């Protein structure tokens, strides 16, 4: 999706399956499309997949930290922190 600058996926607790997929997304600056448009594109991509493959939660944030070697920070505690922040 062109409007997405960077994204990060991880696991969140689920009462039925144990864990489900969640996504954190950073949009590009000066994007003309809004968040609702990006969400509709994501749901359209996953429309034919089984429900447990679709993200249970999608959150938009301002930034995802990048390590010194250029990789996204993926620690479970950091991912949970991103999901909690408003």
């Amino acid at each position: 999706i062109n409007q997405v600058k960077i994204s990060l996926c991880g696991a969140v607790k689920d009462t039925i399956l144990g864990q489900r997929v969640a996504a954190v997304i950073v949009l590009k600056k000066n994007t003309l499309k809004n968040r609702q448009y990006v969400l509709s594109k994501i749901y359209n991509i996953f429309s034919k997949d089984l429900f447990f493959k679709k993200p249970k939660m999608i959150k938009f944030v301002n930034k995802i930290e990048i390590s010194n070697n250029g990789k996204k920070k993926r620690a479970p505690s950091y991912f949970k922190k991103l999901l909690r922040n408003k």
Side-chain angles (χ1 to χ4, degrees):
I1 302 172
N2 292 339
Q3 293 78 13
V4 175
K5 178 179 179 182
I6 190 169
S7 63
L8 181 65
C9 293
V12 292
K13 290 184 180 180
D14 184 72
T15 56
I16 298 170
L17 298 174
Q19 290 185 335
R20 292 270 311 269
V21 177
V24 178
I25 298 172
V26 177
L27 295 177
K28 291 180 181 176
K29 289 185 179 180
N30 301 324
T31 190
L32 298 175
K33 304 291 183 181
N34 60 17
R35 294 175 179 192
Q36 204 58 37
Y37 174 80
V38 173
L39 282 175
S40 68
K41 294 283 278 186
I42 291 169
Y43 290 133
N44 189 32
I45 290 168
F46 287 102
S47 65
K48 295 180 181 168
D49 288 336
L50 299 172
F51 79 96
F52 58 84
K53 292 184 178 183
K54 299 175 185 177
K56 179 179 181 177
M57 180 187 309
I58 299 173
K59 177 124 185 201
F60 293 95
V61 295
N62 292 329
K63 116 180 174 183
I64 294 174
E65 289 184 21
I66 305 294
S67 66
N68 292 337
N69 60 0
K71 294 184 176 182
K72 299 176 229 177
K73 189 173 178 182
R74 296 182 183 272
S77 58
Y78 176 69
F79 187 71
K80 288 179 184 175
K81 178 184 166 190
L82 287 175
L83 290 175
R84 279 193 306 262
N85 287 345
K86 295 182 179 179

